[in-house]
Amino acid sequence: MQRFRGREPLDFFDAVREEKTRIAGAPPADARRFAYVDRGFYATATRSVCSNSSRATKSRSVKFEDFKEKQRETLTSIFSFLGLEPLRSVRSKDRNIVPYERAMNWEEKVFLYNLFEEDIAKLEQLLGWDCADWKL
């Protein structure tokens, strides 16, 4: 079984175009590595969590941009939700920061937005979020 390590050999948009083929040809343990678009349908995943949870199970969703902007407040809120004491201190360290070879061009952004537009609208409705910053 081949294991993949390091950087993606394909340009991001080439990887997006090849996603389904690469997933179909990969061993199950490696398939997730190629799921760039598939893992981005948050409304679908959220609906799945909600439908597979018992009434006694609660969940909480946090928008990454909100977490990034207000880490301490967000973590305090999460710990409170879990019934735990908040952390006394928070050390923030960015991880997995990899520079892109190039920025996406406008056509690529439009293509991806069209893929996710309906899911974004569903997520806004499900969670009561404003995802204007995810839109074109």
Side-chain angles (χ1 to χ4, degrees), residues 14-131:
D14 290 337
V16 166
R17 281 194 294 260
E18 295 295 321
E19 180 172 321
K20 288 183 194 282
T21 303
R22 293 170 92 195
I23 289 171
D30 293 327
R32 189 172 192 271
R33 170 180 159 73
F34 302 121
Y36 299 108
V37 171
D38 192 54
R39 289 188 288 161
F41 291 100
Y42 300 148
T44 303
T46 301
R47 194 172 280 121
S48 176
V49 167
C50 293
S51 68
N52 291 325
S53 302
S54 71
R55 285 183 171 248
T57 304
K58 290 183 175 181
S59 65
R60 175 150 190 176
S61 298
V62 176
K63 193 174 176 193
F64 178 74
E65 292 84 354
D66 295 341
F67 172 74
K68 191 81 170 153
E69 186 178 306
K70 301 179 232 166
Q71 287 184 10
R72 177 171 272 307
E73 295 91 333
T74 304
L75 286 173
T76 298
S77 174
I78 292 168
F79 274 69
S80 174
F81 174 80
L82 295 171
L84 301 171
E85 291 293 318
L87 297 173
R88 289 186 180 155
S89 65
V90 177
R91 288 185 295 167
S92 178
K93 181 177 181 182
D94 288 335
R95 299 183 190 279
N96 299 322
I97 304 298
V98 179
Y100 292 103
E101 296 291 323
R102 65 172 182 82
M104 277 191 283
N105 65 41
W106 181 250
E107 291 80 20
E108 292 166 343
K109 289 179 183 180
V110 169
F111 174 84
L112 290 173
Y113 178 71
N114 288 334
L115 279 177
F116 290 114
E117 181 178 21
E118 185 178 326
D119 194 72
I120 292 169
K122 288 177 184 175
L123 188 68
E124 286 178 313
Q125 196 170 27
L126 273 170
L127 299 177
W129 284 2
D130 174 6
C131 295

